[in-house]
Amino acid sequence: MARILLVLGLATFADGLGDTGLLRQILPFVGALGACLLIGILFITSVRSARRALLYSALWLPFIVTGLSRLYLDIAPGHAAPRQR
């Protein structure tokens, strides 16, 4: 997992230097995959230790909701609020 994060970090740095915008199209799907993995791990953990899974969810819920909201706007940008002029 650390190697994947390292590769994504280096790719983000290179994309920022080159100003290609390629990662802006790819990263929302990487984030959605990460959110799905997080939910899957949460369900697996809840089978063995429901209290720990509920506590984890309660403590990280603001960050999870914010991250999923941001991912939704990245994946479906047409559903965002109209810009003020």
Side-chain angles (χ1 to χ4, degrees):
M1 185 66 170
R3 290 181 182 147
I4 293 171
L5 290 175
L6 177 66
V7 168
L8 281 173
L10 291 173
T12 303
F13 180 73
D15 185 56
L17 285 177
D19 199 24
T20 61
L22 179 65
L23 284 179
R24 187 168 182 87
Q25 298 170 359
I26 296 172
L27 285 180
F29 298 106
V30 172
L33 177 67
C36 290
L37 287 174
L38 175 69
I39 291 169
I41 290 171
L42 186 63
F43 282 131
I44 291 170
T45 305
S46 66
V47 171
R48 297 187 72 197
S49 169
R51 182 175 177 261
R52 179 179 283 175
L54 286 173
L55 185 62
Y56 176 85
S57 299
L59 292 175
W60 285 96
L61 191 62
F63 297 110
I64 292 170
V65 170
T66 304
L68 289 176
S69 299
R70 179 65 193 158
L71 281 173
Y72 178 71
L73 289 176
D74 285 343
I75 291 173
H79 294 211
R83 292 186 178 182
Q84 299 288 329
R85 292 187 187 239

